Amino acid sequence: MKKKYVFILALIPVFLFVLWKISRSRTFQFFGEIYPRIETGQKVVALTFDDGPTRKTARILAILHRLNIKATFFVTGQSLAENEAEGKQIVLEGHQLGNHTYMHNRMVFKSFAFVKSEVEKTDSLIRRTGFREEILFRPPNGKKLILLPYYLNQTNRKTIMWDVEPESYAEIAGNSEKITKHVLANTKPGSIILLHVMYDDGEESIKAITEIVAGLKQRNYAFKTVNELLQYRQSVTGNSTHPNVR
Ligand SMILES: [Zn+2]
C-alpha cells in the first residue's frame, strides 16, 4: 500500500474520536445555539429535570410549590402522550416544558426524517398542554452530531445543555446529601442544573431538591426557568440584553 493511504487509514480512528467528543460536547455543535449555562454576573440559576412526565410528577410539583420556585422539565413526547394530565399540570403551575425528543433515542447517525419527526411530534404534544412560550430542546444523553443541530438551527430552536450534573458521578448519584453538596459547590451565576427525578432511581435526587433550593437561596440565588435565564445573557459589552429583567 502506498504511504499516503496508510497515513489516511491511520487517521480514521482519530477522526472518529474527534466526532465522538463533539457528539457529547456541552459547549459546541456544528450548527445553531447551544447553552451549557448562561454568561451572566447575576445570581440566577435554572433547575432542570429530564424525562417523563411520569406518575412522580405530582410529588415533584408539590415540592416545587412548597419551595416557591419555577423549574424546567425536558419531557419526551412518548411520556407526555401517556401522561397528558401531568404535562398540563406542569404548565398550569407556571413551570416550563422543553423538548427531549419523542422516543429518547441517541440522536446521532439518524435520518433527517427521523430527526424531524422526533422533534416535531414532541413540540406538538407540548403545545397541546397549553404551553405558549418558546420551546427549547435538549438532546437525550446530550448526544447530537450533524443532522440534529442542522435541523434545530434551520427551525430556530436552541439547544440547552447543563453545567451542573451531580448524578453523572458514580460516587455521588443515589445519595441526596452528596448530590446537594456537589450542586452547592459547583453552581455559579447562570448555571443550569440537571437532575433526573422521574423514575424510581431518582428518589435521592427528589430528596435533594429541598436542600439544593434552600442552600442556593441562602447564597442569594434566584431560581428561573431556562427561558427566563436566557434573558440574562450578556452582550459583548457586558450588559444584559434585557437589563430590566430581575
Ligand atoms: Zn433523558
Side-chain angles (χ1 to χ4, degrees), residues 162-197:
W162 56 85
D163 69 323
V164 183
E165 48 171 352
E167 300 149 336
S168 297
Y169 303 87
E171 68 278 15
I172 294 173
N175 180 316
S176 65
E177 279 173 35
K178 288 182 182 172
I179 291 171
T180 304
K181 214 175 138 192
H182 178 92
V183 173
L184 297 186
N186 291 283
T187 298
K188 46 187 183 239
S191 275
I192 300 174
I193 302 163
L194 164 63
L195 291 178
H196 290 80
V197 292

Side-chain angles (χ1 to χ4, degrees), residues 50-51 74 76 100 104 139-141 196:
D50 276 10
D51 312 331
F74 287 94
T76 64
H100 197 42
H104 205 278
N141 308 102
H196 290 80

Side-chain angles (χ1 to χ4, degrees), residues 8 30 57 69 77 88 108 135 158-159 174 200 202 206 235:
I8 290 169
F30 286 113
T57 306
I69 65 157
K88 280 187 179 149
V108 289
I135 301 177
K158 296 183 184 79
T159 303
D200 284 340
I206 294 180
S235 64

Side-chain angles (χ1 to χ4, degrees), residues 94-110:
H95 303 287
Q96 183 178 344
L97 282 183
N99 184 328
H100 197 42
T101 74
Y102 190 83
M103 291 195 292
H104 205 278
N105 282 345
R106 281 172 191 263
M107 300 294 280
V108 289
F109 305 120
K110 297 285 192 290

Side-chain angles (χ1 to χ4, degrees), residues 20-53:
W20 176 76
K21 290 293 269 187
I22 289 173
S23 79
R24 62 202 297 275
S25 171
R26 283 186 276 156
T27 52
F28 172 82
Q29 65 184 3
F30 286 113
F31 309 96
E33 295 176 52
I34 181 167
Y35 296 94
R37 57 180 283 271
I38 304 306
E39 238 9 279
T40 174
Q42 299 198 52
K43 289 192 134 185
V44 284
V45 64
L47 187 56
T48 68
F49 304 116
D50 276 10
D51 312 331

